Amino acid sequence: MNMKKIFLMSALALLVYGCQEDEGTSIQPTPGEEVKFGGRLDDNALTRTIYGDETNSGFPIYWVNGDQVLVASPDCGQYGGVGSATYAISVAGDKQNYATSMDKTGEIGVRWGDNVTGTFNSIFPVVANSDGTIQNRFDVNCNSARVMVTTQQNNVWSMADNKVSPDMHACIMYAQTTGVNAGEDVNLAYKPLSTAVRFTVNGPKSGDGEVTIQYIRLYAPEGTILSGQFDVDFSDMSSGMPKVTAVEGNDNNYASMNATGSTGAFLTLAAGESTEVQLFFLLENQVEMNDQWYIDVALDDGHLFRKYITANAGGNMTLKPGQIHKLPGLPNLSESEAWDPSNWMTNIQRNVYLSEISIPGSWNSLNSDFQGSNPSLTAQYNAGVRAFHLDTRWISTFGYAPDDWYPTRHLTGDLGIANGGATHDMGSIFGETQNTMEEGACPTFAEALGEIADCVQPDEYLFVYCTFAQGSYLPDDLDWREAIATACNDLGDVIIDARTLNANTVVGDVLGHVIVVVSTMYHNTEVSSKAFYADLRNEIDHTEFNDNLYFTRPLFFDNDQNDLSGIQLYATYAQITRAQDSSWDDGDGSRGYEPTLDERQEKCGNLLDWSQTNYNKGISTGKFEHNSWIFMGLGGYTEDNDEGYAAVSNRLVSWLDTRLTAMEEAEAYYPVGIVFMNRVLNSTHPTSMTVDTERTMKDIMLLNGRYRKAYDPDRSPATGKPITEGGSTVRSAAPGYSSGMTDNRTNAIVW
């Protein structure tokens, strides 16, 4: 491993006062006088402090005007003075490794008390909350500081020369000066506490196009913490630097970065291009890397490159706190490699609201009429589907029921899936069928939900929408929603409790889980359940359909329409469609109003127009509605048409393609929400179906990477947790990180 030892000393220049004592004059302060912080530049080149191009002496670091540090003195605080304060660094040039001045940012700075001598501890950087309060702070004893190491490091890409500048938020430095006599200036020398790795990312080989990198992430084995909150204890300097301890419950085994240019575009490398990147992290102790460490590089087209770390024979695999480690360059990235849609969700930024995500879904996921013969949930999942629709119906059988003396048609007690298989009419009421599924003709709901739950991976989430099939038997003594609630509970934690979700929920909050939404109808009895409920029935009201741009429905808990979640569905229709040339003038049938394809397309367009306006508003203002989940119903069938399922897809999915193409041409993106479609697998298309649904699904998946306009920079892309609670006072845009380390040119890691 190319490893560099750090001897980083940041000298802070003497604070200039209105009048100054002659050199050698004794200063006798009174208690309450503010401490003077200053220093002098060490002439040793190895002690220079910020980031320029690499030299034989290492990477020089320079202060950036406006950088801030926390300073604390346990002695001043204990003996009646002021123990801690924040100071801003001023410099006169862009390559200055000492402070021209160091000025308090508040009304008072650190002040002497009755102490004869003092110890002074300091941390860089300062991280502030949106209300101006400091997040990184010392404890009341001024001996320990709690610091945040950002999981998302927002590096800066210079498009002119392809250089990438690290995010100095994650570059933690410290200083401690002991035994300072009261009244003397305090010289603070800063050294790095963060560990760093540097490596080269190589674009495609010649003639292989270009790649756009959405993020780069370093993973350690579980139990090895790289980012999150840490306590830095200055009272324990036995190792030569403060003792670092991760804060349990706010720790992560990865560090992640992205790099964007001045326009917000992600780092893009053409054939033959390369750039060096860097990641910071904190270590509690030195650790030995092994083959469980790996680096992920995610492209915005869905590719995910993963390289595990292995060592040359005798190679040094030790990572030490406060040191920088140079790794070999990564292999060439190439977008021409096969794109695997089965893991596309791993590339979604974790700090995005759920309302911003676009998800391909299958309508009537287990119905052979809608999805082709022998539809498979797993096959759909492997093709990229992450939203499933389960249309339910009770199962019945003919035989001896308990306590019966003769065979009858009776319910089995299992809720099944209306999948186009054999049914039985339990008895018509006013000419309407009351169907059940024949036993053995369909899976149970619990089996179907279990198959979906088995698919979900730790770095993704799934969505299940449940309805009760039209024309189905509805017994008085059984509640189909209770059966869904029981199935959700039986699957344990993989089904997320809807009460833990709200309008501010982000992707990182739901990873590894399935969200279940039940379209409630018929009864309004309360049901204790993990699921959301919405009164979004297949039977639609003619007047409501015509008088509104689209449907709006609140999501509520426990089938209680007064127990609101604060989230609502903005929805379009997805079931029976009236033929365009139908002579049926009013369109009202036994199952509600049946719109035409023209009407359905109009409603879908209204919904996407709302999305475009809402999320584009967020580009300039940073504010947009994120409490509405888009439900885009592009499935269903047309009556009086033998190819009714294909007709819906040919019209509505093709229409969506035109909207996605327009986004690409304008380079202006907005979410399309959860999109339910027929025949999501091309292999199941009828000959009359002309649209390429799998291509449309891929475009929906890729939209998540292309849409990057409303990301919250203060949330981690890896966890969705707040990083700074609303912004940082650190304005350090330094082009790198210096340790003053000398590369020993030992390649310890190979790919």
Side-chain angles (χ1 to χ4, degrees), residues 107 179 270 455 474 491 616 622 658:
E107 294 183 3
C455 289
L474 193 67
L491 286 171
N616 282 349
T658 63

PDB file of all heavy atoms in Angstrom, residues 107 179 270 455 474 491 616 622 658:
ATOM      1  N   GLU A 107     -19.795  37.009  20.416  1.00  0.00           N
ATOM      2  CA  GLU A 107     -19.477  38.229  21.151  1.00  0.00           C
ATOM      3  C   GLU A 107     -18.247  38.063  22.028  1.00  0.00           C
ATOM      4  O   GLU A 107     -17.532  39.033  22.283  1.00  0.00           O
ATOM      5  CB  GLU A 107     -20.681  38.648  22.006  1.00  0.00           C
ATOM      6  CG  GLU A 107     -21.894  39.076  21.184  1.00  0.00           C
ATOM      7  CD  GLU A 107     -23.030  39.554  22.068  1.00  0.00           C
ATOM      8  OE1 GLU A 107     -22.845  39.604  23.313  1.00  0.00           O
ATOM      9  OE2 GLU A 107     -24.096  39.892  21.536  1.00  0.00           O
ATOM     10  N   GLY A 179       0.156  23.497  28.887  1.00  0.00           N
ATOM     11  CA  GLY A 179       1.107  24.227  29.727  1.00  0.00           C
ATOM     12  C   GLY A 179       1.330  25.666  29.337  1.00  0.00           C
ATOM     13  O   GLY A 179       2.414  26.210  29.583  1.00  0.00           O
ATOM     14  N   ALA A 270     -14.740  10.633 -20.265  1.00  0.00           N
ATOM     15  CA  ALA A 270     -14.780  10.115 -21.625  1.00  0.00           C
ATOM     16  C   ALA A 270     -13.716   9.037 -21.788  1.00  0.00           C
ATOM     17  O   ALA A 270     -12.911   8.771 -20.877  1.00  0.00           O
ATOM     18  CB  ALA A 270     -14.569  11.255 -22.619  1.00  0.00           C
ATOM     19  N   CYS A 455     -37.770 -11.386  -2.136  1.00  0.00           N
ATOM     20  CA  CYS A 455     -36.968 -10.722  -3.165  1.00  0.00           C
ATOM     21  C   CYS A 455     -36.207  -9.513  -2.623  1.00  0.00           C
ATOM     22  O   CYS A 455     -35.114  -9.194  -3.106  1.00  0.00           O
ATOM     23  CB  CYS A 455     -37.861 -10.263  -4.314  1.00  0.00           C
ATOM     24  SG  CYS A 455     -38.532 -11.586  -5.349  1.00  0.00           S
ATOM     25  N   LEU A 474     -68.208 -11.431  -1.020  1.00  0.00           N
ATOM     26  CA  LEU A 474     -67.801 -10.702   0.176  1.00  0.00           C
ATOM     27  C   LEU A 474     -68.607 -11.219   1.367  1.00  0.00           C
ATOM     28  O   LEU A 474     -69.710 -10.738   1.632  1.00  0.00           O
ATOM     29  CB  LEU A 474     -68.038  -9.208  -0.028  1.00  0.00           C
ATOM     30  CG  LEU A 474     -67.402  -8.262   0.986  1.00  0.00           C
ATOM     31  CD1 LEU A 474     -65.894  -8.285   0.880  1.00  0.00           C
ATOM     32  CD2 LEU A 474     -67.917  -6.840   0.771  1.00  0.00           C
ATOM     33  N   LEU A 491     -44.938 -11.917   8.460  1.00  0.00           N
ATOM     34  CA  LEU A 491     -43.647 -11.792   7.774  1.00  0.00           C
ATOM     35  C   LEU A 491     -42.635 -10.985   8.571  1.00  0.00           C
ATOM     36  O   LEU A 491     -41.479 -10.853   8.152  1.00  0.00           O
ATOM     37  CB  LEU A 491     -43.848 -11.163   6.396  1.00  0.00           C
ATOM     38  CG  LEU A 491     -44.476 -12.094   5.352  1.00  0.00           C
ATOM     39  CD1 LEU A 491     -44.842 -11.333   4.092  1.00  0.00           C
ATOM     40  CD2 LEU A 491     -43.528 -13.247   5.020  1.00  0.00           C
ATOM     41  N   ASN A 616     -39.613  21.144 -10.530  1.00  0.00           N
ATOM     42  CA  ASN A 616     -38.799  22.214 -11.101  1.00  0.00           C
ATOM     43  C   ASN A 616     -38.785  23.434 -10.196  1.00  0.00           C
ATOM     44  O   ASN A 616     -37.806  24.175 -10.140  1.00  0.00           O
ATOM     45  CB  ASN A 616     -39.302  22.599 -12.488  1.00  0.00           C
ATOM     46  CG  ASN A 616     -38.868  21.614 -13.556  1.00  0.00           C
ATOM     47  OD1 ASN A 616     -38.024  20.763 -13.306  1.00  0.00           O
ATOM     48  ND2 ASN A 616     -39.430  21.719 -14.731  1.00  0.00           N
ATOM     49  N   GLY A 622     -35.569  25.388  -3.649  1.00  0.00           N
ATOM     50  CA  GLY A 622     -35.257  24.339  -2.684  1.00  0.00           C
ATOM     51  C   GLY A 622     -36.486  23.834  -1.960  1.00  0.00           C
ATOM     52  O   GLY A 622     -36.388  22.989  -1.079  1.00  0.00           O
ATOM     53  N   THR A 658     -42.924   9.023 -24.804  1.00  0.00           N
ATOM     54  CA  THR A 658     -42.720  10.354 -25.385  1.00  0.00           C
ATOM     55  C   THR A 658     -42.381  11.373 -24.304  1.00  0.00           C
ATOM     56  O   THR A 658     -41.570  12.282 -24.532  1.00  0.00           O
ATOM     57  CB  THR A 658     -43.965  10.813 -26.160  1.00  0.00           C
ATOM     58  OG1 THR A 658     -45.080  10.947 -25.265  1.00  0.00           O
ATOM     59  CG2 THR A 658     -44.329   9.810 -27.243  1.00  0.00           C
TER      60      THR A 658
END
